[in-house]
Amino acid sequence: YNEGLEFFHKKDYDKAISKFYSAASKGHIKAMYYLGECCYAKNEWLGVWNSNSYTTLYAKNEYQRAAEKGYAPAMVKIGTYYEYKNDLSNAVQYYIQASKQNESDAINRIVELCVLKRITINDEIKDVFYLAAHNGNKDAQYQVAMWAYESNNIADAKYWLQQATNNGHVQASAKLTDILKAEELMICKQKADS
């Protein structure tokens, strides 16, 4: 495996494939993944998932084997495969499984798909949003803030809006400003009434 990795980093994919194949046939999960990576890299100019070449199918198969053994980066690759094929249901399931291992690429893909309104938010996806928010994803921070606001949990809403604002989310900044102005008006009204 380690020799294969050396060849992979040197972009000598044929030699890397030989080494990874040997390790993968003995059940080495990362070798399976890197077999997929080698095939992916060799076919990148084809648009990879757009190709039905043997190499592309082999890459998918190796990613699939590693994903089935629980390797999160392989789950992300399989998720992107299904996303490319416009099978968002399968893509999201792979991303969710990878996100449970705190795989940032999977977490960010789920958030992006929700922001683009390509998938709907359910409880499982909400869990991913909370993870993404804690990992600094500004879109997730904004969404978590809005859920808090809708639940009348203003303190949490302000916290997440501030986090999103710090990360450059324009809508979060505007919403936070609105909340702070409303609070200020309420304080002024209470002082005037007393």
Side-chain angles (χ1 to χ4, degrees), residues 136-159:
N137 183 298
K138 66 184 179 183
D139 292 321
Q141 291 169 334
Y142 177 72
Q143 185 59 57
V144 168
M146 296 314 296
W147 290 330
Y149 183 77
E150 290 162 6
S151 300
N152 214 23
N153 184 343
I154 305 304
D156 277 359
K158 288 187 336 188
Y159 172 79

mmCIF file of all heavy atoms in Angstrom, residues 136-159:
data_model
loop_
_atom_site.group_PDB
_atom_site.id
_atom_site.type_symbol
_atom_site.label_atom_id
_atom_site.label_comp_id
_atom_site.label_asym_id
_atom_site.label_seq_id
_atom_site.Cartn_x
_atom_site.Cartn_y
_atom_site.Cartn_z
ATOM 1 N N GLY A 136 -18.176 25.353 10.931
ATOM 2 C CA GLY A 136 -17.921 26.659 10.336
ATOM 3 C C GLY A 136 -18.559 26.920 8.985
ATOM 4 O O GLY A 136 -18.242 27.920 8.342
ATOM 5 N N ASN A 137 -19.474 26.064 8.535
ATOM 6 C CA ASN A 137 -20.140 26.296 7.257
ATOM 7 C C ASN A 137 -21.173 27.412 7.442
ATOM 8 O O ASN A 137 -22.148 27.259 8.176
ATOM 9 C CB ASN A 137 -20.817 25.002 6.782
ATOM 10 C CG ASN A 137 -21.471 25.158 5.434
ATOM 11 O OD1 ASN A 137 -22.384 25.949 5.270
ATOM 12 N ND2 ASN A 137 -21.016 24.384 4.461
ATOM 13 N N LYS A 138 -20.957 28.538 6.772
ATOM 14 C CA LYS A 138 -21.799 29.722 6.993
ATOM 15 C C LYS A 138 -23.252 29.506 6.579
ATOM 16 O O LYS A 138 -24.163 30.039 7.215
ATOM 17 C CB LYS A 138 -21.214 30.951 6.305
ATOM 18 C CG LYS A 138 -21.202 30.893 4.792
ATOM 19 C CD LYS A 138 -20.517 32.109 4.190
ATOM 20 C CE LYS A 138 -20.495 32.015 2.684
ATOM 21 N NZ LYS A 138 -19.766 33.145 2.100
ATOM 22 N N ASP A 139 -23.487 28.740 5.513
ATOM 23 C CA ASP A 139 -24.870 28.475 5.103
ATOM 24 C C ASP A 139 -25.597 27.633 6.147
ATOM 25 O O ASP A 139 -26.766 27.867 6.448
ATOM 26 C CB ASP A 139 -24.905 27.773 3.738
ATOM 27 C CG ASP A 139 -24.431 28.678 2.610
ATOM 28 O OD1 ASP A 139 -24.768 29.876 2.628
ATOM 29 O OD2 ASP A 139 -23.717 28.180 1.729
ATOM 30 N N ALA A 140 -24.892 26.668 6.709
ATOM 31 C CA ALA A 140 -25.480 25.839 7.767
ATOM 32 C C ALA A 140 -25.711 26.678 9.028
ATOM 33 O O ALA A 140 -26.742 26.547 9.693
ATOM 34 C CB ALA A 140 -24.588 24.652 8.071
ATOM 35 N N GLN A 141 -24.768 27.536 9.355
ATOM 36 C CA GLN A 141 -24.930 28.398 10.523
ATOM 37 C C GLN A 141 -26.174 29.281 10.376
ATOM 38 O O GLN A 141 -26.937 29.442 11.323
ATOM 39 C CB GLN A 141 -23.677 29.265 10.723
ATOM 40 C CG GLN A 141 -22.487 28.447 11.155
ATOM 41 C CD GLN A 141 -21.187 29.215 11.097
ATOM 42 O OE1 GLN A 141 -21.029 30.178 10.328
ATOM 43 N NE2 GLN A 141 -20.216 28.788 11.897
ATOM 44 N N TYR A 142 -26.365 29.818 9.189
ATOM 45 C CA TYR A 142 -27.537 30.647 8.935
ATOM 46 C C TYR A 142 -28.820 29.829 9.087
ATOM 47 O O TYR A 142 -29.773 30.263 9.730
ATOM 48 C CB TYR A 142 -27.457 31.274 7.539
ATOM 49 C CG TYR A 142 -28.680 32.078 7.181
ATOM 50 C CD1 TYR A 142 -28.924 33.312 7.782
ATOM 51 C CD2 TYR A 142 -29.596 31.603 6.248
ATOM 52 C CE1 TYR A 142 -30.057 34.058 7.462
ATOM 53 C CE2 TYR A 142 -30.726 32.343 5.915
ATOM 54 C CZ TYR A 142 -30.947 33.565 6.526
ATOM 55 O OH TYR A 142 -32.073 34.287 6.210
ATOM 56 N N GLN A 143 -28.849 28.631 8.510
ATOM 57 C CA GLN A 143 -30.046 27.791 8.593
ATOM 58 C C GLN A 143 -30.346 27.388 10.032
ATOM 59 O O GLN A 143 -31.494 27.424 10.465
ATOM 60 C CB GLN A 143 -29.901 26.544 7.716
ATOM 61 C CG GLN A 143 -31.148 25.692 7.670
ATOM 62 C CD GLN A 143 -32.361 26.438 7.133
ATOM 63 O OE1 GLN A 143 -32.324 26.956 6.024
ATOM 64 N NE2 GLN A 143 -33.420 26.511 7.907
ATOM 65 N N VAL A 144 -29.323 27.014 10.772
ATOM 66 C CA VAL A 144 -29.505 26.651 12.184
ATOM 67 C C VAL A 144 -30.037 27.857 12.958
ATOM 68 O O VAL A 144 -30.926 27.723 13.809
ATOM 69 C CB VAL A 144 -28.188 26.102 12.791
ATOM 70 C CG1 VAL A 144 -28.266 26.007 14.300
ATOM 71 C CG2 VAL A 144 -27.862 24.733 12.176
ATOM 72 N N ALA A 145 -29.528 29.029 12.649
ATOM 73 C CA ALA A 145 -30.015 30.257 13.287
ATOM 74 C C ALA A 145 -31.494 30.478 12.988
ATOM 75 O O ALA A 145 -32.275 30.834 13.881
ATOM 76 C CB ALA A 145 -29.204 31.464 12.805
ATOM 77 N N MET A 146 -31.879 30.243 11.742
ATOM 78 C CA MET A 146 -33.282 30.448 11.373
ATOM 79 C C MET A 146 -34.190 29.432 12.057
ATOM 80 O O MET A 146 -35.310 29.771 12.467
ATOM 81 C CB MET A 146 -33.447 30.402 9.850
ATOM 82 C CG MET A 146 -32.706 31.535 9.129
ATOM 83 S SD MET A 146 -32.934 33.178 9.872
ATOM 84 C CE MET A 146 -34.671 33.412 9.618
ATOM 85 N N TRP A 147 -33.727 28.200 12.219
ATOM 86 C CA TRP A 147 -34.525 27.208 12.962
ATOM 87 C C TRP A 147 -34.690 27.652 14.412
ATOM 88 O O TRP A 147 -35.763 27.533 14.985
ATOM 89 C CB TRP A 147 -33.883 25.825 12.909
ATOM 90 C CG TRP A 147 -33.937 25.164 11.577
ATOM 91 C CD1 TRP A 147 -34.906 25.314 10.615
ATOM 92 C CD2 TRP A 147 -32.988 24.246 11.032
ATOM 93 N NE1 TRP A 147 -34.609 24.542 9.515
ATOM 94 C CE2 TRP A 147 -33.452 23.879 9.744
ATOM 95 C CE3 TRP A 147 -31.806 23.696 11.509
ATOM 96 C CZ2 TRP A 147 -32.765 22.985 8.932
ATOM 97 C CZ3 TRP A 147 -31.119 22.805 10.701
ATOM 98 C CH2 TRP A 147 -31.598 22.460 9.433
ATOM 99 N N ALA A 148 -33.616 28.181 14.992
ATOM 100 C CA ALA A 148 -33.688 28.674 16.371
ATOM 101 C C ALA A 148 -34.653 29.852 16.461
ATOM 102 O O ALA A 148 -35.479 29.932 17.379
ATOM 103 C CB ALA A 148 -32.299 29.075 16.869
ATOM 104 N N TYR A 149 -34.566 30.756 15.501
ATOM 105 C CA TYR A 149 -35.440 31.934 15.481
ATOM 106 C C TYR A 149 -36.909 31.517 15.363
ATOM 107 O O TYR A 149 -37.768 32.033 16.080
ATOM 108 C CB TYR A 149 -35.038 32.843 14.314
ATOM 109 C CG TYR A 149 -35.829 34.111 14.233
ATOM 110 C CD1 TYR A 149 -35.552 35.176 15.099
ATOM 111 C CD2 TYR A 149 -36.857 34.259 13.315
ATOM 112 C CE1 TYR A 149 -36.276 36.354 15.028
ATOM 113 C CE2 TYR A 149 -37.585 35.435 13.233
ATOM 114 C CZ TYR A 149 -37.300 36.478 14.098
ATOM 115 O OH TYR A 149 -38.027 37.644 14.031
ATOM 116 N N GLU A 150 -37.173 30.568 14.463
ATOM 117 C CA GLU A 150 -38.547 30.084 14.279
ATOM 118 C C GLU A 150 -39.078 29.386 15.528
ATOM 119 O O GLU A 150 -40.285 29.354 15.761
ATOM 120 C CB GLU A 150 -38.613 29.136 13.073
ATOM 121 C CG GLU A 150 -38.413 29.853 11.747
ATOM 122 C CD GLU A 150 -38.050 28.925 10.596
ATOM 123 O OE1 GLU A 150 -38.062 27.685 10.780
ATOM 124 O OE2 GLU A 150 -37.746 29.447 9.508
ATOM 125 N N SER A 151 -38.170 28.848 16.334
ATOM 126 C CA SER A 151 -38.564 28.196 17.595
ATOM 127 C C SER A 151 -38.577 29.176 18.759
ATOM 128 O O SER A 151 -38.713 28.778 19.909
ATOM 129 C CB SER A 151 -37.589 27.052 17.916
ATOM 130 O OG SER A 151 -37.591 26.093 16.913
ATOM 131 N N ASN A 152 -38.365 30.442 18.429
ATOM 132 C CA ASN A 152 -38.343 31.519 19.417
ATOM 133 C C ASN A 152 -37.172 31.398 20.396
ATOM 134 O O ASN A 152 -37.246 31.882 21.518
ATOM 135 C CB ASN A 152 -39.683 31.610 20.166
ATOM 136 C CG ASN A 152 -40.014 33.044 20.513
ATOM 137 O OD1 ASN A 152 -39.519 33.970 19.869
ATOM 138 N ND2 ASN A 152 -40.831 33.230 21.530
ATOM 139 N N ASN A 153 -36.111 30.764 19.960
ATOM 140 C CA ASN A 153 -34.891 30.667 20.755
ATOM 141 C C ASN A 153 -33.944 31.751 20.232
ATOM 142 O O ASN A 153 -33.022 31.495 19.468
ATOM 143 C CB ASN A 153 -34.283 29.266 20.611
ATOM 144 C CG ASN A 153 -33.074 29.073 21.494
ATOM 145 O OD1 ASN A 153 -32.479 30.031 21.977
ATOM 146 N ND2 ASN A 153 -32.696 27.820 21.691
ATOM 147 N N ILE A 154 -34.208 32.973 20.671
ATOM 148 C CA ILE A 154 -33.505 34.147 20.126
ATOM 149 C C ILE A 154 -32.022 34.137 20.474
ATOM 150 O O ILE A 154 -31.186 34.533 19.657
ATOM 151 C CB ILE A 154 -34.180 35.455 20.590
ATOM 152 C CG1 ILE A 154 -35.671 35.455 20.213
ATOM 153 C CG2 ILE A 154 -33.485 36.684 20.023
ATOM 154 C CD1 ILE A 154 -35.949 35.243 18.729
ATOM 155 N N ALA A 155 -31.684 33.659 21.661
ATOM 156 C CA ALA A 155 -30.269 33.631 22.055
ATOM 157 C C ALA A 155 -29.462 32.750 21.096
ATOM 158 O O ALA A 155 -28.394 33.158 20.614
ATOM 159 C CB ALA A 155 -30.124 33.128 23.488
ATOM 160 N N ASP A 156 -29.965 31.541 20.811
ATOM 161 C CA ASP A 156 -29.266 30.658 19.862
ATOM 162 C C ASP A 156 -29.276 31.253 18.459
ATOM 163 O O ASP A 156 -28.282 31.162 17.734
ATOM 164 C CB ASP A 156 -29.907 29.267 19.833
ATOM 165 C CG ASP A 156 -29.417 28.374 20.959
ATOM 166 O OD1 ASP A 156 -28.570 28.823 21.759
ATOM 167 O OD2 ASP A 156 -29.889 27.226 21.036
ATOM 168 N N ALA A 157 -30.395 31.857 18.089
ATOM 169 C CA ALA A 157 -30.486 32.473 16.757
ATOM 170 C C ALA A 157 -29.417 33.548 16.608
ATOM 171 O O ALA A 157 -28.706 33.585 15.598
ATOM 172 C CB ALA A 157 -31.873 33.061 16.527
ATOM 173 N N LYS A 158 -29.287 34.401 17.615
ATOM 174 C CA LYS A 158 -28.280 35.466 17.557
ATOM 175 C C LYS A 158 -26.865 34.878 17.499
ATOM 176 O O LYS A 158 -26.024 35.369 16.749
ATOM 177 C CB LYS A 158 -28.417 36.419 18.752
ATOM 178 C CG LYS A 158 -29.635 37.299 18.651
ATOM 179 C CD LYS A 158 -29.786 38.396 19.691
ATOM 180 C CE LYS A 158 -29.117 38.254 20.981
ATOM 181 N NZ LYS A 158 -29.492 39.276 21.967
ATOM 182 N N TYR A 159 -26.635 33.839 18.288
ATOM 183 C CA TYR A 159 -25.314 33.214 18.298
ATOM 184 C C TYR A 159 -24.943 32.712 16.895
ATOM 185 O O TYR A 159 -23.869 33.019 16.380
ATOM 186 C CB TYR A 159 -25.262 32.052 19.296
ATOM 187 C CG TYR A 159 -23.987 31.254 19.191
ATOM 188 C CD1 TYR A 159 -22.811 31.726 19.779
ATOM 189 C CD2 TYR A 159 -23.940 30.070 18.454
ATOM 190 C CE1 TYR A 159 -21.625 31.017 19.652
ATOM 191 C CE2 TYR A 159 -22.757 29.356 18.324
ATOM 192 C CZ TYR A 159 -21.609 29.834 18.925
ATOM 193 O OH TYR A 159 -20.433 29.140 18.784
#
